[in-house]
Every structure is written in C-alpha cells, then in structure tokens.
Amino acid sequence: MAPASRPPTATPPAASSSRIDTSSLKAALAMALMHYNRLPSRAAASASASAAGTSTPPLIHWKRKAKERKREILRFREELKLLQDGVRGEETEPPVASCRCHFFDGCGDLQPPLPPGGGEHWVDEVLRRRFLRLEFNRGDEIHQLSLSTDFLVELSDGIFAKRDSMSSFATFSHQAVDFILASLRNILSTKRERELVEEIIDGLVARLMKRMCAISENNCTSDSGSVDCSDAQFSVQHLFRKLGQEEFIGQRIILVVSQKISNLSEMLLLVDPFDDSFPDMHGNMFIMIQLIEFLISDYIKNWLCCEQFDKNFFEEWARSILKARKDLEVLENINGLYVVYIERVVGRLAREVAPAAHQGKLNLDVFSKLLC
C-alpha cells in the first residue's frame, strides 16, 4: 500500500523578511525610548537626579507613597462618615452573655471622692485586660482606632432605635471605650499621625454630640421595657464622660459642647416657646452644661498633671465657656437656671485650676476672667 500522504508543512519565512522584522522592531523601540525621554516628568526627574547626584531608592519612594495614600483614604473615610451620618444598615449582632457590668454605674451623678485603696471592680479589670490582649493589633492602630469609633457610634444608634438592650449596650460600649482609650494612648506615645488622629477624634465627638442633642420624635415615646430618648441621651453623655478621662479627648469634648451651648442659646432666643422642639432644646441645654461639670470635676486635676497637657487648648475652651456664659445671660429672663448652672461650672473650674494658675502653668489673664 502507498503510504498515507502527510499534510503540507509551513515553510519557514525567508531570512530577508526576518531581518526586516528585526530591524523594524529595533526602530520602533528606539522611537519609543526617544518619546519616553521627552516626557516632561521624566526630563524633570532625570535633571533633578543628575543635579543631586543621588536619588531616592524606589522601594522607599513607593512605601512613602503608600503611606500617604493610606492617610488620604482614612481622612476621606472620616469625612464620608460625617457627610453620610444617619445612613446605616441593620446588622444582626451575636447574643451577649449576661454579665454585671459596672461601666454605667454613677451615670448622671457627680463622682464621689475615691477611697485610699479604691479602684474599679476587679471583674471589669480582668475582662478589659483580656479584651485588649485578644483584640489589640499594634500593626495598624490608627485603622483600629477608626473602626472602634464607628462601632461605638453604631452602638449609640442601636439604643436610640431600640435595637439593643441596655445590658448589651453597656457591655459592648465598655469594651469599645477601653479600646479607643488604649489605642489613642499608644498612638500618642509614638507622636505620629497626630493630624489624622485629631480628625478621627473630632469626628467621633461631633457624631456623638449629634445623638446626645437629638430632638425627640414619635418613635421615641417610652414603652414598657424599652429605652426612651432621654435615657439614650444620658447614656451618650456617660460615654462622653468615660472617654473624657483621656485629656486629648476630654478637652475637645468641652470645646465642642461649650460652642454648642452658645449656638443653642441663640436658637432658644428666637424659637417659639410653644414649638414642639422647645422642650427638647431646653433639656439638651441642661445635659450639655451637666456634661461640662462632670468632666471638670472628674478629670481636670489629672489633666493638669499630664506631660502632654495642651495649655493653649485649655485656654481656648475656657474662653469658649466664658462666651457661653455671656450668651446664656441673655436668656436669663426666659430661664434663670441656665445662668445659675453655668456660673456653678465656671466657679468649679476656677477652684480646680487655681493652684496651677498660681504656679505659672496657666495664663493668669484667662484665670482672672474665670473669677469675674
């Protein structure tokens, strides 16, 4: 039999065409290199590198770029939270084991003098340390700080929306506050990314302030076994009080609250007393004045002893409190208790800072105005 015919095979291209392809490829590469070298950024980079004699290693350059981009992303996230505040999705949370938490003990009461060997409950101490050991990630503390502030705000929303029970809120908020304070102290000790940390804390204060000074709606009416708006507002006030033990947060809280008091005093001067929102605005005024008194009575002495105490920031919020007092004096005919309560706060502040002022740690001009 005749052998099976094989399919025709492709013949290799001629050597001349191969040489033509190679030469055209070289020409294309040469033109591309010339075009690349003519780019303005490339020319500037080469000129600067030749002038300096040395250039930054690519690895360090891109690491720096990555850190800058990460800071920008975190900053944009904080701005987005403030802009989109109130748009939240429903989430299902795991059940919480029933445990007596002392985090909200003394909510709404002035802090009594501590006994010589006093401290927090040992169970809370053990739980807090265990939580911090399990959850604290030193690799990306700023990101963890941002996430923990979001978590605390969402917990507050759950109380207002009656999604969470008070025991669940107390347990989770206790852990969140401890985590925020521990993360903040660690970050501040390294003295890095201070501007970004300030934005995160300012955003937290602004968002919680919006909830503490909320105006009641129909769905805030108290039912049996539920938490009404006033209880939720006092819970947020207590969160501020716990967060304020850190001087970096506490001073910012007082500044924001005192500015809010001035703004609210102008609104009360113009609003109709028979308006439905008037009672809530009236209640918010007392909650804010009380919060300033709590923070001053609880922590001002400890703040003054801190090495990182920001004296300029103290003078700023002290002047803001004096301005709030002046604005409230206009409302004395409407409600004289506003002036009485703010005078009590100013008097307490003057007594607490008097030793530091006499030692030259504070501006005597500001201290003298507190005494007027």
Side-chain angles (χ1 to χ4, degrees):
M1 288 182 64
S5 61
R6 297 181 180 178
T9 57
T11 58
S16 61
S17 63
S18 175
R19 286 194 298 270
I20 292 173
D21 293 340
T22 305
S23 60
S24 62
L25 178 62
K26 290 181 179 179
L29 289 174
M31 293 178 65
L33 288 174
M34 291 174 62
H35 178 69
Y36 178 70
N37 289 328
R38 288 176 182 175
L39 292 176
S41 60
R42 179 69 178 175
S46 60
S48 61
S50 60
T54 58
S55 60
T56 306
L59 182 61
I60 298 177
H61 171 74
W62 289 112
K63 278 186 177 181
R64 188 182 301 115
K65 287 288 186 182
K67 289 182 179 180
E68 292 175 358
R69 181 58 58 87
K70 189 173 184 179
R71 285 196 298 268
E72 290 179 1
I73 292 174
L74 285 175
R75 185 175 293 108
F76 289 148
R77 283 179 180 174
E78 292 301 320
E79 294 179 0
L80 188 63
K81 292 170 195 172
L82 296 176
L83 293 175
Q84 294 184 342
D85 191 23
V87 182
R88 296 165 296 276
E90 298 288 336
E91 295 182 358
T92 304
E93 295 182 354
V96 185
S98 64
C99 174
R100 178 71 176 98
C101 181
H102 300 270
F103 183 70
F104 278 90
D105 288 356
C107 177
D109 300 328
L110 283 173
Q111 189 76 14
L114 291 176
E120 63 179 324
H121 199 276
W122 67 271
V123 175
D124 292 338
E125 176 71 17
V126 172
L127 291 175
R128 189 184 74 250
R129 291 181 180 275
R130 183 174 182 271
F131 171 77
L132 295 178
R133 282 200 307 271
L134 292 175
E135 302 295 334
F136 195 61
N137 181 7
R138 297 179 63 89
D140 195 0
E141 294 168 347
I142 296 180
H143 185 59
Q144 295 291 338
L145 176 64
S146 178
L147 291 178
S148 56
T149 57
D150 294 343
F151 180 62
L152 186 60
V153 172
E154 292 191 6
L155 285 176
S156 304
D157 291 339
I159 284 294
F160 281 95
K162 302 180 184 178
R163 293 197 308 262
D164 304 325
S165 63
M166 192 61 195
S167 60
S168 170
F169 175 74
T171 302
F172 282 132
S173 60
H174 187 182
Q175 294 179 345
V177 168
D178 284 344
F179 190 83
I180 290 172
L181 294 177
S183 301
L184 182 63
R185 288 168 185 149
N186 245 358
I187 296 172
L188 293 179
S189 64
T190 61
K191 298 181 179 179
R192 58 184 175 85
E193 307 288 355
R194 187 178 179 90
E195 292 184 0
L196 184 56
V197 173
E198 288 178 357
E199 291 182 5
I200 294 175
I201 298 303
D202 290 342
L204 172 64
V205 173
R207 295 158 74 192
L208 288 180
M209 179 64 62
K210 179 181 177 181
R211 286 148 180 82
M212 189 184 74
C213 298
I215 302 298
S216 300
E217 297 177 357
N218 293 332
N219 59 356
C220 289
T221 305
S222 177
D223 300 322
S224 57
S226 64
V227 180
D228 62 7
C229 275
S230 60
D231 291 336
Q233 287 174 290
F234 279 111
S235 298
V236 176
Q237 184 203 62
H238 196 68
L239 291 180
F240 273 131
R241 189 175 179 182
K242 291 295 184 178
L243 290 168
Q245 62 183 280
E246 181 61 40
E247 172 264 343
F248 188 86
I249 304 178
Q251 292 206 84
R252 283 165 171 77
I253 294 174
I254 295 181
L255 177 62
V256 173
V257 173
S258 58
Q259 292 173 347
K260 181 72 174 178
I261 290 175
S262 296
N263 295 336
L264 186 57
S265 63
E266 296 179 2
M267 295 174 63
L268 286 171
L269 189 63
L270 301 175
V271 74
D272 183 0
F274 297 100
D275 190 274
D276 293 338
S277 62
F278 186 84
D280 293 318
M281 297 169 65
H282 171 77
N284 291 341
M285 181 68 77
F286 286 111
I287 289 178
M288 291 190 290
I289 296 175
Q290 187 183 49
L291 174 58
I292 295 179
E293 184 177 16
F294 283 155
L295 293 173
I296 291 174
S297 62
D298 291 348
Y299 306 122
I300 188 64
K301 290 183 179 179
N302 295 332
W303 293 350
L304 293 172
C305 297
C306 292
E307 296 181 359
Q308 301 85 7
F309 180 72
D310 193 339
K311 184 176 69 172
N312 296 328
F313 210 95
F314 162 77
E315 294 174 0
E316 183 178 356
W317 63 257
R319 291 189 176 95
S320 182
I321 290 179
L322 293 174
K323 181 181 182 301
R325 180 180 66 175
K326 185 176 181 180
D327 293 335
L328 289 176
E329 289 174 354
V330 182
L331 299 175
E332 190 168 7
N333 293 332
I334 299 176
N335 194 326
L337 289 178
Y338 295 152
V339 180
V340 173
Y341 286 160
I342 197 67
E343 285 287 359
R344 186 172 73 175
V345 171
V346 173
R348 191 178 193 97
L349 176 61
R351 291 195 303 271
E352 297 291 348
V353 303
H358 293 310
Q359 293 172 7
K361 296 181 180 180
L362 300 176
N363 191 335
L364 291 178
D365 181 44
V366 177
F367 177 68
S368 62
K369 291 180 180 179
L370 294 175
L371 299 177
C372 295

